[in-house]
Amino acid sequence: NAGVTQTPKFQVLKTGQSMTLQCAQDMNHNSMYWYRQDPGMGLRLIYYSASEGTTDKGEVPNGYNVSRLNKREFSLRLESAAPSQTSVYFCASFRGELFFGEGSRLTVL
Amino acid sequence: KNQVEQSPQSLIILEGKNCTLQCNYTVSPFSNLRWYKQDTGRGPVSLTIMTFSENTKSNGRYTATLDADTKQSSLHITASQLSDSASYICVVSAVQAGTALIFGKGTTLSVSS
């Protein structure tokens, strides 16, 4: 089992460009999450999906959109990237505890 | 406001020594508390989960304690190894619908030889 898989692992964007971070889990979990992690800030919730077909905003949703494509996949989209979105992004699935992916490191110039 | 505070922010110890990390929370109503280990460049991995009725739980050289009355938890690492160098994150779960996981900012532990 791969657990939670995120792609890409690294990405450099210019201000205003768009991109989608992909996440897939093979553990048949209902709940999935997107977090960002910045130095000194800890992990902050962007969006979450309690089940297929539902999504809800977290603590820092501005500038992001999500899609829960099916039970396995939960993608995060930046429509117009800004330097403030430079961060490490983690996807996680949940059943009793969080299972995290390895992270996607995004730099916006 | 639900909050989780961790101390110290960072810690440096010599290999073989013991250390204790602290987590204080104001989350209510409390459901459970988790400690995660995050190696540099990796995603967090669960070390232990503690419920309201549990006082102590061990996972190898890691021992977590919980005092639900004072709303404090500690993670004790015995006979530290270089591989213990990581960030340790305390996560408290509240009994509520939706986003019920409150994260601490973590303690960065460096073990030197």
Side-chain angles (χ1 to χ4, degrees):
Chain A
N1 288 342
V4 179
T5 303
Q6 293 183 231
T7 57
K9 288 185 169 48
F10 300 94
Q11 184 73 48
V12 178
L13 293 176
K14 294 180 179 178
T15 297
Q17 287 185 318
S18 62
M19 76 158 299
T20 299
L21 301 178
Q22 306 286 353
C23 175
Q25 52 97 5
D26 61 5
M27 296 174 283
N28 203 36
H29 292 167
N30 286 321
S31 299
M32 297 185 72
Y33 299 76
W34 274 106
Y35 294 91
R36 61 177 289 173
Q37 187 175 41
D38 303 292
M41 301 292 291
L43 284 152
R44 292 183 292 170
L45 182 65
I46 305 171
Y47 270 93
Y48 70 101
S49 172
S51 61
E52 182 179 353
T54 67
T55 61
D56 286 285
K57 295 179 180 179
E59 180 185 357
V60 288
N62 291 346
Y64 306 95
N65 286 302
V66 290
S67 295
R68 184 73 183 268
L69 305 172
N70 47 55
K71 192 170 187 178
R72 289 188 66 248
E73 298 172 291
F74 188 36
S75 62
L76 179 71
R77 182 161 178 83
L78 287 70
E79 290 291 353
S80 178
S84 61
Q85 294 178 304
T86 293
S87 187
V88 181
Y89 292 86
F90 287 97
C91 177
S93 67
F94 181 87
R95 179 179 289 171
E97 66 177 85
L98 285 166
F99 296 85
F100 287 90
E102 291 299 295
S104 297
R105 286 145 187 83
L106 175 66
T107 300
V108 183
L109 302 175
Chain B
K1 181 182 178 182
N2 288 332
Q3 285 187 316
V4 176
E5 301 281 348
Q6 291 188 244
S7 62
Q9 185 174 355
S10 61
L11 183 62
I12 302 173
I13 61 173
L14 289 174
E15 186 178 14
K17 297 296 185 182
N18 303 336
C19 68
T20 300
L21 314 180
Q22 299 289 345
C23 174
N24 296 339
Y25 61 92
T26 58
V27 177
S28 182
F30 174 85
S31 176
N32 54 57
L33 182 147
R34 302 170 174 83
W35 283 94
Y36 285 83
K37 180 187 180 188
Q38 184 177 21
D39 293 319
T40 300
R42 307 293 298 273
V45 175
S46 176
L47 285 174
T48 184
I49 299 174
M50 302 191 72
T51 60
F52 185 86
S53 60
E54 294 175 308
N55 298 118
T56 303
K57 183 175 283 188
S58 292
N59 179 2
R61 293 180 297 102
Y62 299 99
T63 299
T65 65
L66 175 65
D67 186 333
D69 292 331
T70 62
K71 299 186 176 181
Q72 295 179 326
S73 177
S74 65
L75 181 68
H76 185 75
I77 304 174
T78 303
S80 61
Q81 300 176 358
L82 296 178
S83 60
D84 293 330
S85 296
S87 179
Y88 293 84
I89 303 169
C90 177
V91 183
V92 181
S93 178
V95 181
Q96 63 188 54
T99 57
L101 301 172
I102 297 92
F103 285 76
K105 294 182 179 180
T107 292
T108 300
L109 174 64
S110 298
V111 181
S112 60
S113 57

